[in-house]
Amino acid sequence: MGVEKNITIAPQGSWITQKGAYDFMSTKPTVLVTRKLPKAVEARLHRDYVPILNPDDRLYSNKELVELCSKADAILPCHTEKLTAETIAILPKKIKIIANYSVGVDHCDLEAAKGRGIIVTNTPDVLSEATAEVTILLMLGAARRASEGERMIRAKQWHDWSPNFMVGYQVTGKRFGVLGMGRVGQVAANRARGFDMDVHYYNRNRLCSELEDGATYHDNVEALLPNCDVLSIHCPATPQTTGMLDAARIALLPDGAIVVNTARGGVVDDNALILALKSGKVWAAGLDVFNGEPEGIHDEYLNLSNVFLLPHIGSATGDTRDAMGYRALDNLDAFFAGKEPKDRVV
Ligand code: DGY
């Protein structure tokens, strides 16, 4: 972060040079951090910025968020903050960057941010391994009835063993279908190869052969689905992907397929998936993300024994949560040094 000459004063006492880079020898930029972050990340924030922290980790209302922004030069939010067009419209003018602590940016109205000249960044790459681990956990948990078995033991209802007891689905050697072969999808595919699974994928753009690594490309979702013994969802939630896994597309899956979702709940039509889980068309599902999460999850999921549920913990490892914070801070550092942030989305 260079120190520049020709300083003019910016709003709220922050100093900004004529080139647009903040002068860290004088006032540090103030960053509104909406949730409690890992210790090491907050330490770096203290070193380089004036952070407005949230030690109680309380979820702010949009009104509180906008009020707190009046003291800030930048926001570092999580996907829990819904930065709607209405909220973005009333953010103070001096907020010029939203440096997300997330890879997904569906909680931000990107068009609204663009319209106000606000840069939005995310944290790609650093959570791919952790999320792929949860993908495999969900696949195996769903296939091998982990949730059912665990609940049975805790309820002291395990009374016998027989060849027919808790028989599940063996994924080894089956087809692993990836909907959205971005960074997480690619790592998940590699992990699935560890189970000798044959990888099929759909992505808007075909990968180069090195990244494809023998996977079979399908140039549309409908062509992918009949090849998925396990369908793993890795595409972002956008207006185009909302409700993408609907009844018509579920009908294209092989009978008894498994559905795994570590991306966003919005990609799935819950009613259609629940019907398919009840009829056995879909053998089981492993879900880490939901429409209406956390409290508005479709009730029927809670009553189905063939669903393995996790509370949006794809990226929840110490290493990854630190790395997400550093990546968000790298983006802020670049912005305040007058450079292009590496992970600029708009
Ligand atoms: C992400 O980074 O998008 C994860 O879902 C956590 O927010």
Side-chain angles (χ1 to χ4, degrees):
M1 285 176 268
V3 179
E4 309 231 3
K5 295 212 172 83
N6 304 324
I7 295 164
T8 54
I9 197 158
Q12 294 292 320
S14 298
W15 294 88
I16 196 163
T17 67
Q18 286 179 349
K19 282 193 189 164
Y22 274 68
D23 181 354
F24 279 74
M25 294 300 282
S26 50
T27 306
K28 296 173 180 176
T30 299
V31 180
L32 173 64
V33 182
T34 62
R35 303 303 302 261
K36 190 169 166 53
L37 296 183
K39 272 204 180 78
V41 179
E42 292 199 347
R44 186 170 144 184
L45 268 156
H46 276 295
R47 188 192 66 192
D48 297 339
Y49 296 94
V50 178
I52 304 172
L53 299 178
N54 181 354
D56 301 328
D57 207 16
R58 200 167 54 78
L59 189 61
Y60 296 136
S61 68
N62 278 13
K63 187 165 173 278
E64 286 175 300
L65 192 81
V66 173
E67 276 165 16
L68 285 165
C69 279
S70 67
K71 302 185 193 96
D73 301 303
I75 321 177
L76 197 161
C78 294
H79 78 268
T80 46
E81 280 65 60
K82 306 299 171 216
L83 293 163
T84 59
E86 294 71 33
T87 302
I88 287 175
I90 54 173
L91 287 178
K93 280 207 174 57
K94 70 184 178 127
I95 301 279
K96 287 287 168 229
I97 179 162
I98 298 171
N100 284 296
Y101 182 92
S102 66
V103 65
V105 288
D106 48 297
H107 58 288
C108 288
D109 192 310
L110 298 180
E111 281 309 306
K114 198 170 166 189
R116 287 209 52 191
I118 298 175
I119 289 175
V120 178
T121 61
N122 69 343
T123 58
D125 300 323
V126 291
L127 40 66
S128 307
E129 272 78 16
T131 309
E133 283 181 6
V134 167
T135 302
I136 299 302
L137 173 65
L138 290 171
M139 172 177 77
L140 296 177
R144 300 303 298 272
R145 305 170 63 173
S147 178
E148 214 182 323
E150 221 249 357
R151 273 178 290 136
M152 181 191 292
I153 294 177
R154 286 182 190 276
K156 294 190 181 285
Q157 283 169 356
W158 180 30
H159 304 302
D160 192 14
W161 185 97
S162 90
N164 290 312
F165 175 63
M166 290 281 300
V167 173
Y169 179 94
Q170 185 157 319
V171 297
T172 301
K174 305 283 184 352
R175 294 168 296 178
F176 185 76
V178 180
L179 182 53
M181 193 68 141
R183 288 160 279 225
V184 181
Q186 288 169 37
V187 182
N190 274 335
R191 303 294 173 264
R193 287 183 182 106
F195 292 95
D196 297 331
M197 296 185 83
D198 182 20
V199 177
H200 290 249
Y201 76 101
Y202 163 73
N203 200 46
R204 269 176 312 172
N205 303 308
R206 185 170 184 171
L207 303 184
C208 65
S209 63
E210 194 191 339
L211 291 180
E212 221 170 50
D213 198 13
T216 305
Y217 177 63
H218 300 273
D219 64 7
N220 61 80
V221 182
E222 286 71 20
L224 168 72
L225 293 170
N227 295 287
C228 301
D229 298 315
V230 175
L231 169 68
S232 193
I233 300 173
H234 296 286
C235 56
T238 64
Q240 292 72 39
T241 62
T242 299
M244 182 182 255
L245 191 66
D246 58 9
R249 293 203 174 93
I250 288 174
L252 297 174
L253 287 167
D255 290 345
I258 288 175
V259 172
V260 172
N261 191 2
T262 50
R264 284 292 185 265
V267 180
V268 172
D269 173 339
D270 288 329
N271 288 325
L273 180 58
I274 286 163
L275 269 180
L277 284 159
K278 284 181 172 171
S279 72
K281 168 72 190 173
V282 170
W283 158 264
L287 307 174
D288 183 48
V289 288
F290 303 86
N291 284 300
E293 65 178 53
E295 273 147 16
I297 296 181
H298 201 303
D299 273 346
E300 297 245 32
Y301 284 130
L302 313 183
N303 301 324
L304 286 170
S305 60
N306 53 346
V307 191
F308 184 51
L309 306 166
L310 291 177
H312 201 144
I313 55 164
S315 63
T317 67
D319 293 346
T320 292
R321 290 285 158 89
D322 282 353
M324 289 167 72
Y326 300 149
R327 189 87 177 213
L329 289 178
D330 290 348
N331 286 318
L332 280 181
D333 292 352
F335 173 77
F336 285 115
K339 298 184 189 141
E340 177 75 1
K342 186 168 163 202
D343 306 313
R344 182 172 179 170
V345 181
V346 293

